[in-house]
Each structure stands twice: as C-alpha cells, then as structure tokens.
Amino acid sequence: MDLNKDGSKIMEKGLEINAVEVKSEVSLKERLWIIIPVVLLIGLLATLGYNHYAEFTWDGFVGGFNQELLVFFLIGVFAQLVDGTLGMGYGATSTSFLLAYGVPPVVSSTAVHVSEMFTTGASALSHHRFGNINKKLVKHLLIPGVLGSITGAYLLSDVINGDVIKPFIAVYMIILAIIIIKKALKKNIVKKKTKKLSVLAVFGGFMDSVGGGGWGPIVTSTLLGRGRNPRYTIGSVNAAEFAISFASGITFMLFGGIHGWQVIIGLILGGVISAPLAAFLVNKIKRKPMMIAVGILIILLSLKTLSKLL
C-alpha cells in the first residue's frame, strides 16, 4: 500500500511538472504574438528616426502642419475604423481622401504604405487582445502573403504599371462582393473548406503591392464568401496584413524613398488610436450586417476605381 501511495505521488508530481512545462511553452508562444510586432515597430521607428533625423527637428516636425495635421489624422481614424471593423479598405479609403484633398499621388502612395506598417501592427495587437485571431489561418496566410507583396512591390518599382491591373482587380472584387451579400441574405450559410490558401495569400499580397490595396478585399472577401466566421476571418486577415504591409513597405522604402512626413504622421496617429476601437467593434457587430457592409464597401470602392479609369 505504501509503495502504491508513493508511486501515485510520484506520478502526480510528474504530471504537474509536465503541465507547468506545457503551460510555460504555450505562454511563450502567446507572448511572441505581441513581442514580434512590438520589436519590429520599435526597430522601424528607430531606423526612420536615425535616417531622417533632420526632418524630426522641432522646426521640421511642426512646420507645415497647422490644420492639415488634423485633416490627415481624421483620415487615418476613419480609414482604420473601416479596415479594422470590416477587414479591408484602409489603402483605398485613405488614398481616395488624400487625393481628393490635393495630396500628390506619389506622396499619398508612400504615406499610405509607410503608415500601414504601424496601423496594421496596432490592429494585429488589438485583435489579439480581443481574441479575434485564428492562429492556424494566420500561419497559412503569412509567408505566401509576404512573398507575394515583396514580388509585387519590386515589380511595381521597376517593371510594371499598377494602373493597368486596377480594372481587373475592381471587377474581381465586385463579383466577390455580390457573392458575399448573397451569402449574408441566406438564412443558413454552409461553411466550405477553402482550398489553396497559399495561392490566395500570394495573389492578395501581390495585388496589394501592385494595385495600392487589395489584401483585405481579395483575401477577406474570398474567405467570407466561403462561409467563414467574419469575426475570426477579419481578425486573422488583419493580423497577417501586418507582415504583408511591413514587407511591402520596406521594399517601397528601399526603392522609392520616403515623402510627405506630415501626411504619414497624421495617418499613423489616427490609425493607431482607432485600431483598438475597431477590433472591439468586431465583437459587437452581428454577422449579417457586417457581411452586407463589407459587400457594399467593396462595390462602392471598386465602382469608384472603374469610374476614374474610364
């Protein structure tokens, strides 16, 4: 009897030790989801500050802001609320507003790509905080999306004109939007397995870099059209978008340099502040109105793109 008791105590202690080891391993993995984005953002901020020190002096920082800083800040707030809540639209929304305000295309494109490196990081951290992320889905999208975005950014810098492909992206997104709205209006949405996620991620990352936006509309729309849960789809696609934006942003910075610091800072401040609110709203908005809103947003943005080109 004593041997049995001793043996059972040893087994219990062994199980406790294993449980602690497993818990610590899980805890480390959970922390990495926060540590990696934070380290990358701090490193990026330090690099930008070091390489552009003269532009961060008091005169260079404040000069020329005036009321324009508030305008760029509000654009950043609205664009991030759209993107963080619906899973798409930051690039298209912010670029449309900037161009309408009179910001040159080159400056607006650079500003959006650089600011997205920060806003998507804040969005990813916020969605992780509110439990909106399917980590398995993020892993499937991450590496292929990064490879696609780097390839697209490089080709856009040296080889092709992104305006040529924009009509095809717009038509594709309108078709997806119709599918999403049709799915939303159905009472019972049957979830179908999404095949070739890596191909979808490569295509989305490539089009995002080449067309100035498209990761959210292409990837989120396709996944929602297959009946995936909007909350986890939007959270996961936003989390993966941080890596895609970071990769394309670095590529654009290497080839084209940085312009329009006033615009960049306004967009970053607005986007970072509104990212937690957007992630919180994903939990509060119901599936049907969310999908309808996504579909309507895609159609409006795509029609606007086509009208400009035609």
Side-chain angles (χ1 to χ4, degrees), residues 58-95:
W58 180 253
D59 292 335
F61 187 80
V62 177
F65 276 174
N66 300 324
Q67 75 278 5
E68 289 189 342
L69 175 61
L70 178 60
V71 173
F72 301 141
F73 172 81
L74 292 175
I75 292 174
V77 169
F78 181 73
Q80 185 56 43
L81 282 175
V82 170
D83 189 82
T85 305
L86 301 180
M88 64 192 73
Y90 180 87
T93 303
S94 55
T95 300

Side-chain angles (χ1 to χ4, degrees), residues 109-110 113 149-162 206 209-211 247-257:
S109 178
T110 304
H113 278 98
S149 67
I150 292 174
T151 304
Y154 173 74
L155 291 177
L156 184 62
S157 300
D158 279 357
V159 182
I160 63 177
N161 183 356
F206 179 82
S209 293
V210 171
S248 62
I250 291 293
T251 306
F252 277 114
M253 286 165 60
L254 290 174
F255 285 95

Side-chain angles (χ1 to χ4, degrees), residues 2-244:
D2 291 337
L3 290 174
N4 290 336
K5 287 182 179 180
D6 292 339
S8 62
K9 287 180 180 179
I10 293 172
M11 288 181 64
E12 287 176 1
K13 288 181 179 179
L15 291 172
E16 289 176 0
I17 292 171
N18 290 334
V20 171
E21 290 177 352
V22 171
K23 187 175 181 180
S24 62
E25 185 177 348
V26 171
S27 178
L28 178 60
K29 289 181 179 179
E30 286 292 325
R31 289 176 184 175
L32 287 176
W33 285 86
I34 299 174
I35 293 172
I36 292 175
V38 170
V39 170
L40 288 175
L41 290 175
I42 292 174
L44 173 63
L45 193 61
T47 303
L48 291 175
Y50 178 78
N51 291 333
H52 301 271
Y53 175 77
E55 297 173 69
F56 284 96
T57 59
W58 180 253
D59 292 335
F61 187 80
V62 177
F65 276 174
N66 300 324
Q67 75 278 5
E68 289 189 342
L69 175 61
L70 178 60
V71 173
F72 301 141
F73 172 81
L74 292 175
I75 292 174
V77 169
F78 181 73
Q80 185 56 43
L81 282 175
V82 170
D83 189 82
T85 305
L86 301 180
M88 64 192 73
Y90 180 87
T93 303
S94 55
T95 300
S96 298
F97 276 111
L98 290 173
L99 292 176
Y101 187 71
V103 177
V106 175
V107 175
S108 63
S109 178
T110 304
V112 170
H113 278 98
V114 174
S115 64
E116 273 191 312
M117 297 166 75
F118 291 90
T119 57
T120 54
S123 182
L125 292 172
S126 300
H127 278 294
H128 180 270
R129 168 66 180 80
F130 288 106
N132 300 335
I133 296 176
N134 180 332
K135 294 170 185 176
K136 186 177 180 181
L137 177 59
V138 173
K139 291 176 182 178
H140 280 297
L141 297 173
L142 200 63
I143 296 177
V146 167
L147 294 175
S149 67
I150 292 174
T151 304
Y154 173 74
L155 291 177
L156 184 62
S157 300
D158 279 357
V159 182
I160 63 177
N161 183 356
D163 291 334
V164 177
I165 303 178
K166 282 186 178 180
F168 300 99
I169 300 175
V171 172
Y172 173 71
M173 289 191 290
I174 289 175
I175 295 171
L176 287 177
I178 294 172
I179 295 173
I180 290 171
I181 294 174
K182 186 178 177 181
K183 294 277 186 183
L185 295 176
K186 285 184 176 180
K187 291 184 179 181
N188 297 319
I189 299 177
V190 180
K191 181 179 178 181
K192 298 179 181 179
K193 186 176 181 181
T194 307
K195 298 179 180 179
K196 299 180 180 179
L197 274 174
S198 58
V199 176
L200 175 65
V202 169
F203 180 65
F206 179 82
M207 290 301 187
D208 187 76
S209 293
V210 171
W215 171 258
I218 291 172
V219 179
T220 303
S221 301
T222 302
L223 295 178
L224 289 179
R226 303 296 292 178
R228 283 184 172 267
N229 184 289
R231 172 187 170 185
Y232 294 108
T233 298
I234 291 171
S236 302
V237 173
N238 266 263
E241 189 178 12
F242 169 64
I244 279 73

Side-chain angles (χ1 to χ4, degrees), residues 221-301:
S221 301
T222 302
L223 295 178
L224 289 179
R226 303 296 292 178
R228 283 184 172 267
N229 184 289
R231 172 187 170 185
Y232 294 108
T233 298
I234 291 171
S236 302
V237 173
N238 266 263
E241 189 178 12
F242 169 64
I244 279 73
S245 298
F246 205 91
S248 62
I250 291 293
T251 306
F252 277 114
M253 286 165 60
L254 290 174
F255 285 95
I258 302 176
H259 309 279
W261 279 109
Q262 293 87 349
V263 186
I264 293 172
I265 293 173
L267 292 178
I268 290 174
L269 291 176
V272 170
I273 289 173
S274 62
L277 177 59
F280 173 75
L281 291 176
V282 171
N283 288 322
K284 303 300 179 182
I285 299 176
K286 295 182 180 179
R287 179 188 182 94
K288 183 177 178 179
M290 185 185 296
M291 293 183 70
I292 293 174
V294 168
I296 293 173
L297 176 66
I298 296 170
I299 291 174
L300 292 175
L301 294 175

